[in-house]
Amino acid sequence: MADKIALEVTRFSPERDKEPRLATYEVPLRKEWVVLDALNYVKDKVDGSLSFRWSCRMGVCGSCGMMVNGEPKLTCATFLTDYAPGPVRVEPLKNFPVMRDLIVEISDFLAKLTKVKPWIIRKDEKPLSEGEYLQTPEQLDTYKQFSMCINCLLCYAACPVYGLDPLFSGPAALALAQRYNMDSRDQGTDERMDILSQHDGIWGCTFVGECTEVCPKHVDPAGAIQQYKLTATKEWMKSMLMPWKGK
Amino acid sequence: MATYTEYPPRGYRVRMSTYWWLGKWPYLKFILRELSSIFVAWFVVETLMLIKALSDGLLAYAEFQQFLQNPIVVALNVISLCFIVFHTITWFNLAPKAMAVRMGGKRVPDVLIAGPNYVAWVVVSAAVAWLVLRG
């Protein structure tokens, strides 16, 4: 095994550059090193101005998502040796505006996430003295997969619908909405329905399915969206057949 | 050295190429699956033409048969069949994602959702083939 590998990294300084460019760095190729280690090596030893987000370096915080050789990846879980003999190209997450080097602007996602109300909504609150809202393991199991999302945004980088239409709510926000819809303690399904069943919500999704493929936590946003499409269609049919029932 | 801009615009945006779907097989597969709807529509039109020819009498039916024997129509139908098979297989494989059926507290495995679709496909196709080919 060679002891070095070339790392091609996007550099962009909004104050100085018209557009992003690639810079190449030689980094040690070590068996236990991930792409994030290589970036930290560059920052520590070669160029301290290299900017990128990272935090936990163990696939939990969701900060270090980047494009590695064109694929959205958590750089803390992507080994350099898998790309030997290189070069390894590291670019900012696709479909988001680039702020600096490998950092993207994610306020659009944060606004969309808030819009789908990803929290437990109760119509009737129990008094504290009555204790917690209990849930069986089976009830937990219905939504647990969708609750594993770490907001790393790899799914947005893989979604061509979001790339072409920035108004689309996107995979993670919709999967998280479905996570709360399926929670037995939640009573906010109707409230979310109006937001989710808009064109920019679930119906914007054309089921490319790549969000599910790239998800490092196996959340399956594509499945969540299609399942919600079924629910929304059933609700619509019910409201057509039994208009007197109402909400 | 490039000039220094004190308040640059927030974020550099890259426009998606018109040919975004050419670079990666899953994207190309998606576009082909979407495109297959045109061929599905063509088979619907062809079936309607067949029904009309049948209702218009023997002469119209013979003319329709002649139309079907045209090499261009034969080629179009072969291509359409390939697209419809592709459409069917990809659709059946995606069905388990949309249908999260739970039984006995557990989610029914994907193969039990996709499987019956395939079985129904084979049975219906065999029944149609038997109807068409027996005489």
Side-chain angles (χ1 to χ4, degrees), chain A residues 12 14-16 18-20 71 97-98 105 141-142 158 160 163-164 206-208 210 220 223 226-227 230, chain B residues 1-5 8 10-13 16 20 24 26-27 30 33-34 94 97-100 102 105 107:
Chain A
F12 175 63
E15 295 88 1
R16 292 191 166 83
K18 275 221 165 65
E19 53 187 39
E71 296 284 334
V98 184
E105 156 71 279
D141 203 42
T142 54
L164 293 164
T206 53
F207 205 176
V208 180
E210 273 303 279
D220 191 11
Q226 311 322 309
Q227 287 161 31
L230 263 184
Chain B
M1 191 75 200
T3 49
Y4 184 87
T5 320
R10 196 173 161 85
Y12 176 84
R13 279 166 202 276
M16 233 167 116
W20 60 269
K24 232 170 118 182
Y27 291 157
F30 160 74
R33 200 181 79 215
E34 296 285 290
L94 289 174
K97 282 220 175 299
M99 293 177 70
R102 303 184 74 84
R107 192 163 159 184

Side-chain angles (χ1 to χ4, degrees), chain B residues 6-54:
Chain B
E6 199 159 1
Y7 297 106
R10 196 173 161 85
Y12 176 84
R13 279 166 202 276
V14 187
R15 247 197 93 170
M16 233 167 116
S17 151
T18 314
Y19 306 104
W20 60 269
W21 45 277
L22 277 177
K24 232 170 118 182
W25 170 237
Y27 291 157
L28 183 62
K29 202 169 103 182
F30 160 74
I31 290 290
L32 289 176
R33 200 181 79 215
E34 296 285 290
L35 201 67
S36 64
S37 57
I38 294 170
F39 297 98
V40 174
W42 161 242
F43 271 168
V44 172
V45 170
E46 205 173 63
T47 311
L48 289 175
M49 283 162 70
L50 168 72
I51 293 167
K52 187 170 185 312
L54 276 173

Side-chain angles (χ1 to χ4, degrees), chain A residues 4-22:
Chain A
K4 288 209 176 275
I5 191 165
L7 202 66
E8 297 173 350
V9 183
T10 300
R11 298 303 309 261
F12 175 63
S13 159
E15 295 88 1
R16 292 191 166 83
D17 299 328
K18 275 221 165 65
E19 53 187 39
R21 64 200 156 81
L22 282 174

Side-chain angles (χ1 to χ4, degrees), chain B residues 92 95-96 99 101 103 107-119:
Chain B
F92 285 171
M99 293 177 70
V101 183
M103 272 167 85
R107 192 163 159 184
V108 173
D110 286 2
V111 66
L112 287 182
I113 306 278
N117 282 306
Y118 279 103
V119 172

